[in-house]
């Protein structure tokens, strides 16, 4: 009897799983059909992506240089999506597909990760004629309206010569929408869908909802920075945050075979690859660090091991920066998170540096850093169980309040110069490209 129950339970589970798979497959077919139907319905309608500026719009005489950087970044990122024209007007980038083969969905995804853009709107392009706007635009927004319960209309009339004022456009458009989709109700406070009609210089643009952009300012507008990239959660987030403020990011990683594995190195390369979606291509430097770590273990006070290791890392990193014309270092340190990230420890680390050290995560809680890591898709890779060199020879009782004089005396007691040079000579630089 017990065996029959087990068999019945197993069959029931298999049935449920099979049903779930069937439902998922049916949903997939439905989405595919709707997507194909929508493409068929609007294929004769001109479509465009409007990319709205944020902070760039507030710039003064140097605004054009920011716009130029962002335009170049957009063109570069969209190469794999097909043929697009990119132009700018009224603090907006106009991204237009030039043929039916251009992948607009992929373009929108890539544009949403380009710093400098705060909002994207996928629109239909119409003549500045009220009759055409009221008739043709409803086909374009049909999918969004069919699934909504409430809506409102927002009109933006930058061309003041257009005969209808913004409130009149809203009334006319709202009336047509209610006529076409009688299940809908108007809700001006918290609608499911906001239908926007933009009357600009050359055309009218209609869309039903916008997509949040990456914000920030264009990569390349704030110089170059070298990210000390470990395999943890914090450092990829730090690189993302500095790129958001316009820094071109290179990355340096310290490996210590046989204490660290090839998988640990591959994990870090994957993290760098993931953040290229936001940062663009990354020059990656992999430094052989085993010998230095072993010498630290054998020749330095154990409680100062981590501080001395970080000072030597900084020295190697900044020498490479000087050769590569990079102006600053970036770390993922958060104040007080671990023993080597106390204020006393940071003072001792920074004393070894001749260039600025940026710590964009310094004031964030771990939960806040994790939230950003999940947002940029690095979290799942960061928590893979492959240890980096920072976990090798970790002291049992690290000094949380190191004295700078003691740290410098411990470092000066050994001649590190030949080993620093050897590590730099053995460094392997290569380019990690954004797909």
């Amino acid at each position: 009897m017990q065996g029959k129950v087990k068999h019945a339970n197993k069959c029931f589970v298999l049935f449920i799983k099979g049903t779930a798979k069937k439902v998922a497959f049916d949903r997939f077919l439905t989405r595919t059909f709707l997507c194909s139907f929508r493409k068929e319905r609007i294929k004769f309608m001109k479509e465009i992506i409007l990319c709205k500026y944020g902070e760039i719009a507030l710039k003064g005489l140097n605004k054009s240089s920011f716009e130029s950087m962002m335009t170049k970044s957009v063109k570069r990122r969209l190469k794999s999506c097909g043929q697009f024209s990119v132009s700018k007007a009224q603090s907006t980038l106009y991204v237009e597909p030039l043929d039916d083969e251009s992948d607009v969905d992929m373009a929108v995804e890539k544009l949403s990760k380009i710093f400098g853009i705060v909002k994207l709107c996928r629109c239909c392009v119409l003549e500045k004629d009220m009759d055409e706007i009221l008739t043709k635009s409803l086909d374009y927004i049909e999918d969004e309206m069919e699934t909504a319960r409430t809506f409102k209309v927002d009109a933006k009339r930058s061309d003041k010569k257009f005969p209808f004022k913004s409130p009149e456009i809203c009334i006319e458009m709202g009336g047509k929408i209610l006529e076409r989709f009688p299940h809908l109700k108007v809700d001006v406070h918290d609608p499911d869908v906001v239908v926007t009609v933009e009357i600009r210089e050359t055309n009218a643009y209609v869309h039903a909802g916008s997509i949040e952009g990456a914000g920030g300012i264009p990569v390349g507008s704030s110089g170059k920075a070298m990210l000390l990239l470990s395999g943890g959660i914090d450092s990829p987030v730090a690189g993302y945050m500095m790129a958001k403020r316009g820094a071109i990011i290179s990355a340096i990683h310290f490996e210590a075979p046989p204490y660290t594995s090839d998988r640990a190195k591959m994990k870090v390369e994957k993290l760098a690859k993931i953040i290229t979606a936001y940062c663009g291509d990354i020059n990656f430097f992999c430094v052989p660090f085993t010998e230095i770590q072993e010498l630290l273990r054998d020749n330095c006070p154990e409680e100062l091991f981590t501080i001395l290791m970080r000072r030597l890392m900084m020295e190697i990193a900044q020498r490479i920066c000087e050769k590569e014309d990079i102006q600053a270092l970036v770390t993922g340190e958060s104040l007080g998170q671990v023993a080597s990230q106390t204020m006393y420890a940071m003072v001792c680390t920074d004393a070894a540096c001749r260039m600025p050290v940026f710590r964009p995560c310094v004031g964030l809680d771990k939960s806040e850093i994790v939230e950003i890591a999940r947002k940029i898709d690095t979290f799942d890779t960061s928590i893979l169980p492959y240890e980096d060199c920072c976990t090798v020879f970790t002291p049992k009782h690290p000094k949380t309040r190191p004295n700078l004089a003691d740290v410098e005396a411990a470092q000066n007691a050994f001649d590190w110069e030949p080993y620093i040079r050897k590590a730099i000579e053995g460094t392997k630089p290569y380019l990690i490209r954004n797909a």
Side-chain angles (χ1 to χ4, degrees):
M1 181 66 183
Q2 191 177 0
K4 289 182 179 179
V5 172
K6 285 183 178 178
H7 177 71
N9 286 339
K10 184 177 180 182
C11 290
F12 179 71
V13 170
L14 289 173
F15 172 75
I16 292 297
K17 286 184 176 178
T19 303
K21 286 182 179 178
K22 185 178 185 305
V23 170
F25 184 65
D26 288 345
R27 285 176 180 169
F28 169 75
L29 287 178
T30 302
R31 285 197 304 268
T32 305
F33 172 75
L34 288 174
C35 185
S36 301
F37 181 72
R38 184 176 192 271
K39 285 182 178 179
E40 184 66 26
R41 191 175 70 245
I42 67 170
K43 69 178 182 180
F44 299 113
M45 195 175 294
K46 190 176 180 182
E47 193 172 24
I48 200 168
I49 306 166
L50 301 181
C51 304
K52 310 291 183 73
Y53 302 171
E55 199 173 320
I56 299 174
L58 305 176
K59 300 295 180 184
L61 297 175
N62 60 347
K63 179 180 175 180
S64 60
S65 65
F66 285 88
E67 289 179 320
S68 177
M69 287 177 192
M70 192 164 69
T71 302
K72 288 178 182 176
S73 180
V74 167
K75 288 179 178 179
R76 188 166 56 249
R77 301 278 187 95
L78 294 185
K79 280 182 179 178
S80 60
C81 302
Q83 298 295 317
F84 290 85
S85 71
V86 182
S87 57
K88 62 180 186 290
Q90 298 175 305
S91 296
T92 302
L93 281 185
Y94 295 71
V95 179
E96 182 181 347
L98 298 178
D99 54 46
D100 294 338
E101 302 302 316
S102 299
D103 192 334
V104 179
D105 293 327
M106 186 188 294
V108 168
E109 184 182 349
K110 286 183 175 289
L111 288 168
S112 69
K113 296 178 180 179
I114 295 178
F115 292 124
I117 299 171
V118 296
K119 188 166 67 173
L120 299 119
C121 305
R122 187 171 173 174
C123 316
C124 63
V125 183
L126 303 166
E127 294 297 323
K128 290 192 291 185
D129 176 77
M130 200 64 195
D131 290 335
E132 180 169 326
I133 293 169
L134 294 175
T135 54
K136 291 187 177 180
S137 64
L138 297 188
D139 285 339
Y140 186 78
I141 63 174
E142 182 177 352
D143 291 347
E144 290 83 357
M145 307 316 291
E146 289 285 6
T147 56
R149 291 177 298 174
T150 59
F151 80 101
K152 83 169 200 177
V153 179
D154 188 16
K156 299 176 181 178
R157 188 177 65 116
S158 57
D159 179 6
K160 302 305 179 186
K161 294 178 182 178
F162 190 70
F164 290 81
K165 295 180 180 179
S166 295
E168 296 170 338
I169 296 170
C170 292
I171 292 169
E172 293 290 330
M173 190 70 174
K176 278 292 182 182
I177 290 172
L178 289 171
E179 184 182 310
R180 173 82 172 264
F181 307 101
H183 70 283
L184 288 173
K185 292 183 179 179
V186 176
D187 183 349
V188 297
H189 300 295
D190 187 24
D192 294 337
V193 175
V194 178
V195 177
T196 304
V197 182
E198 299 190 36
I199 309 297
R200 292 176 171 249
E201 288 182 359
T202 56
N203 293 95
Y205 304 92
V206 179
H207 59 88
S210 57
I211 300 162
E212 186 180 352
I217 55 178
V219 171
S221 59
S222 300
K224 301 177 183 177
M226 178 72 82
L227 171 66
L228 277 71
L229 185 61
S230 68
I233 297 170
D234 305 341
S235 56
V237 170
Y240 159 84
M241 292 176 74
M242 288 304 299
K244 187 174 184 177
R245 297 311 306 161
I248 296 173
I249 298 296
S250 296
I252 187 167
H253 175 67
F254 296 84
E255 62 173 348
Y259 306 106
T260 59
S261 65
D262 287 339
R263 286 187 174 184
K265 180 183 173 184
M266 290 166 63
K267 170 185 170 180
V268 174
E269 290 172 338
K270 185 177 179 181
L271 287 170
K273 181 73 173 178
I274 292 169
I275 64 173
T276 60
Y278 295 92
C279 306
D281 297 347
I282 289 177
N283 286 316
F284 188 85
F285 300 85
C286 193
V287 181
F289 205 58
T290 307
E291 189 173 17
I292 289 177
Q293 284 196 291
E294 289 176 336
L295 289 167
L296 279 168
R297 176 197 60 191
D298 298 336
N299 295 279
C300 294
E302 183 189 6
E303 68 274 13
L304 296 179
F305 176 88
T306 305
I307 299 296
L308 292 170
M309 179 185 71
R310 293 193 68 80
R311 283 169 61 91
L312 292 172
M313 285 179 170
M314 293 293 194
E315 180 59 36
I316 291 169
Q318 63 191 339
R319 291 195 192 186
I320 293 173
C321 286
E322 288 162 359
K323 287 167 59 178
E324 299 291 327
D325 190 29
I326 296 172
Q327 294 82 41
L329 299 173
V330 180
T331 76
E333 292 166 294
S334 173
L335 187 61
Q337 188 178 118
V338 294
S340 64
Q341 296 178 18
T342 64
M343 194 168 295
Y344 299 91
M346 290 182 185
V347 167
C348 292
T349 303
D350 284 1
C353 299
R354 300 179 296 278
M355 58 177 55
V357 180
F358 294 119
R359 297 178 173 92
C361 300
V362 72
L364 299 181
D365 292 340
K366 191 67 175 184
S367 60
E368 294 174 304
I369 298 171
V370 167
E371 185 180 346
I372 298 172
R374 291 186 188 279
K375 174 186 171 183
I376 64 175
D377 295 328
T378 57
F379 180 76
D380 290 339
T381 302
S382 291
I383 61 174
L384 291 174
Y386 309 127
E387 295 183 338
D388 57 46
C389 73
C390 294
T391 60
V392 177
F393 309 136
T394 304
K396 290 181 180 178
H397 303 290
K399 211 167 184 74
T400 57
R401 294 194 172 195
N403 178 273
L404 180 58
D406 294 340
V407 171
E408 289 178 337
Q411 184 172 339
N412 294 334
F414 190 86
D415 183 13
W416 297 102
E417 185 59 29
Y419 301 100
I420 291 171
R421 289 180 182 174
K422 185 178 178 181
I424 293 171
E425 288 169 3
T427 296
K428 303 169 187 174
Y430 47 94
L431 186 66
I432 296 181
R433 291 190 178 278
N434 171 235

